[in-house]
Amino acid sequence: MNVKDVLVAQLNANLENTWFVALLNSIEGLTEEQAQWKPDDTAHSISEIVNHLIFYNQRYLNRFNNVPNPKNEDSNTFKNRDGMNWNDKVKRIYDIMAEWKNTVEEAEPINLEKMVAEIAHLTLHTTYHTGQIIYIRKLQDNWDSKDGVSG
């Protein structure tokens, strides 16, 4: 298995359940209200976590594709920067993750070598936050263990 195969497998695991729950499966079926819910004032909502994932995944995808990123004037990466509603966020993160997978599949190995660590860390970062999303859904009592995680 080469670097490209590993990165594609990691990116695919964020799109579809493998031996853990994919990001897209963790947010499927949520309402705007469920996505905005927080267990307390110190926690982030699922919607805020998705904002954060959109922010970083898009920035790194732009960097990989040599597209300039807008200047980051606000350090709060959990903020809804584009004023999107929940359904728009779900579509946006899906599109970004699918574009990542396609970009890596089509990339020349020399280009992957330059950012292999960043891409690997990005997929781990996404998986970490997917676990948070599932935990929040369990706190809301709206996660069905048949969707991938029991207990």
Side-chain angles (χ1 to χ4, degrees):
M1 187 175 252
N2 61 36
V3 167
K4 182 184 280 193
D5 293 337
V6 171
L7 293 175
V8 168
Q10 286 182 326
L11 290 161
N12 192 53
N14 286 292
L15 291 164
E16 300 174 16
N17 285 357
T18 55
W19 58 274
F20 59 89
V21 177
L23 168 65
L24 300 180
N25 292 72
S26 76
I27 60 177
E28 186 176 328
L30 283 173
T31 65
E32 180 98 31
E33 182 181 17
Q34 291 167 328
Q36 295 293 336
W37 182 85
K38 295 180 183 190
D40 60 50
D41 289 339
T42 64
H44 291 292
S45 69
I46 293 170
S47 185
E48 289 171 328
I49 292 168
V50 172
N51 291 336
H52 175 76
L53 291 172
I54 287 169
F55 177 85
Y56 278 108
N57 279 283
Q58 186 65 65
R59 286 184 82 79
Y60 277 84
L61 183 59
N62 288 350
R63 184 184 299 171
F64 185 83
N65 289 323
N66 295 313
V67 173
N69 279 307
K71 186 172 176 156
N72 184 17
E73 308 264 338
D74 187 349
S75 63
N76 182 358
T77 61
F78 293 86
K79 182 178 176 181
N80 187 356
R81 294 165 184 268
D82 299 321
M84 292 184 285
N85 67 34
W86 175 244
N87 291 331
D88 291 340
K89 289 179 194 183
V90 171
K91 182 178 181 339
R92 178 91 176 268
I93 194 62
Y94 176 84
D95 290 347
I96 292 168
M97 298 311 296
E99 186 177 349
W100 253 123
K101 182 181 172 196
N102 291 338
T103 298
V104 169
E105 285 175 334
E106 295 171 7
E108 294 297 323
I110 190 75
N111 294 334
L112 285 177
E113 292 295 329
K114 294 176 188 173
M115 282 190 62
V116 68
E118 289 90 342
I119 298 168
H121 289 138
L122 196 65
T123 60
L124 292 171
H125 176 249
T126 300
T127 303
Y128 166 78
H129 285 298
T130 300
Q132 288 181 315
I133 290 168
I134 293 167
Y135 181 72
I136 293 168
R137 289 192 67 170
K138 285 182 174 189
L139 290 176
Q140 293 176 343
D141 199 28
N142 73 359
W143 180 256
D144 191 333
S145 62
K146 74 173 177 51
D147 292 325
V149 178
S150 60

